[in-house]
Amino acid sequence: MATVAQLLAMRQQLTAISDTAAVDVELLLCHCLQKPRSYLRTWPEAEVADTQQQQFQQLLQRRQQGEPVAHLIGERGFWTLDLQVNPSTLIPRPETELLVEKILQLFAADTTTELLDLGTGTGAIALSIASERPQWKIAACDIQPAAVALAETNRQCTGLENVCIFQSNWFDQVQVRQFNVIVSNPPYIDVNDENLNVGDVRFEPLSALVADNKGLADLEMIIQQAPDYLARDGWLLVEHGYQQGPAVSNLLLSRGFTEVFTDQDLAGHDRISGGQWWRG
């Protein structure tokens, strides 16, 4: 039987396809062992059962073919939550946590706030905010039935009762028109973007990735329609591509939003923008 240390050394097999080969191998091995990552460091000489080793090697081979680790183990950590994932939605990414951080900064902890998350996918944004603000009323929607089902599963697993998840094509089935904040991580990649052929996105649904008009079509629609659903002084916040900050800011300003901003991710790239709506 191989030891934990020997199996971790197999990270070399992933260096050609992953910038996080060491982390990938740790997550795969933890999944097979049903142990936390701390176990790997505490017991490097522990022997791994043959069945677990076989499972690990099968997952490692699939990872070598490019399959995302999140799909292989069925979950991804986001904010403080462990969320179930599957190929029907985007895999939650650390950059999207910026939206959660910004919303928590904009509203005091003791406020009673209504929030709408458009295109919720796994429910990552809505559920993360719900975990921090249990007194808020949160609605989250997605056009894909499979995404709605997954988000509801995550809601039940996290035990968060202040979130309502439903199916809607953006605003089509949204009834409330007085949200204090609307947030979205919509499709924003141009259909001809060469990055669609590399990395994890090859295994994610194109409908959740690409948009017309150089990736801006869904962002334009959300910015145009959001004021009809915002309360006085309400905020709209969206994620976008690293080259789209100026264009999204212009869209917000042209629609009449004030206090328009663009914030950068940890890599220094424009990642989220937003503005406040002053209802007359």
Side-chain angles (χ1 to χ4, degrees):
M1 291 187 289
T3 65
V4 166
Q6 289 172 331
L7 294 182
L8 290 178
M10 298 177 74
R11 61 182 177 273
Q12 296 179 352
Q13 298 182 24
L14 297 182
T15 53
I17 64 99
S18 174
D19 294 330
T20 58
V23 175
D24 292 357
V25 167
E26 288 184 4
L27 291 173
L28 293 177
L29 186 53
C30 286
H31 174 71
C32 296
L33 297 175
Q34 293 297 293
K35 299 287 188 181
R37 289 172 71 182
S38 59
Y39 174 88
L40 307 180
R41 297 172 178 82
T42 305
W43 305 102
E45 300 308 317
E47 293 185 336
V48 177
D50 290 340
T51 54
Q52 293 172 320
Q53 181 178 339
Q54 183 179 18
Q55 181 189 16
F56 169 76
Q57 290 175 328
Q58 290 172 345
L59 292 178
L60 185 67
Q61 185 176 22
R62 290 170 62 185
R63 179 61 183 140
Q64 286 179 286
Q65 302 302 314
E67 284 192 62
V69 171
H71 287 174
L72 294 174
I73 66 177
E75 66 178 30
R76 169 63 66 88
F78 183 87
W79 198 248
T80 61
L81 307 175
D82 289 324
L83 301 174
Q84 293 187 32
V85 300
N86 63 41
S88 71
T89 68
L90 288 183
I91 299 168
R93 290 169 168 78
E95 294 84 358
T96 304
E97 293 182 355
L98 278 174
L99 288 171
V100 178
E101 292 177 6
K102 190 69 175 183
I103 291 169
L104 296 178
Q105 291 171 7
L106 287 172
F107 294 87
D110 59 353
T111 57
T112 301
T113 302
E114 294 200 32
L115 177 145
L116 172 65
D117 176 19
L118 292 169
T120 195
T122 61
I125 296 172
L127 295 173
S128 296
I129 295 172
S131 71
E132 299 285 346
R133 298 288 190 266
Q135 77 277 21
W136 286 21
K137 293 176 62 177
I138 296 175
C141 65
D142 201 288
I143 189 174
Q144 300 294 340
V148 173
L150 178 60
E152 176 60 21
T153 295
N154 282 323
R155 186 198 67 77
Q156 293 179 15
C157 289
T158 55
L160 295 166
E161 300 295 336
N162 56 326
V163 183
C164 173
I165 299 168
F166 60 100
Q167 186 175 355
S168 179
N169 182 9
W170 301 120
F171 292 103
D172 283 358
Q173 301 301 316
V174 176
Q175 303 301 317
V176 177
R177 290 177 175 263
Q178 292 289 298
F179 290 100
N180 303 105
V181 56
I182 296 173
V183 61
S184 184
N185 176 18
Y188 55 73
I189 301 176
D190 182 81
V191 67
N192 296 314
D193 193 315
E194 60 184 15
N195 290 315
L196 291 171
N197 299 315
V198 298
D200 289 355
V201 296
R202 293 173 297 164
F203 297 85
E204 296 176 289
L206 279 178
S207 61
L209 292 166
V210 303
D212 292 335
N213 192 20
K214 299 181 179 179
L216 290 170
D218 290 317
L219 286 160
E220 290 173 334
M221 184 279 302
I222 291 169
I223 292 170
Q224 182 63 33
Q225 295 186 20
D228 295 335
Y229 298 85
L230 282 170
R232 181 177 176 83
D233 303 346
W235 285 86
L236 171 65
L237 292 89
V238 295
E239 182 173 331
H240 52 70
Y242 72 97
Q243 295 179 318
Q244 295 173 327
V248 174
S249 292
N250 287 334
L251 288 169
L252 289 162
L253 290 168
S254 297
R255 184 62 178 90
F257 283 89
T258 63
E259 305 297 326
V260 172
F261 70 89
T262 296
D263 285 354
Q264 290 72 44
D265 58 25
L266 292 177
H269 298 141
D270 288 351
R271 185 57 58 191
I272 68 170
S273 293
Q276 191 171 28
W277 183 254
W278 292 85
R279 184 183 293 276

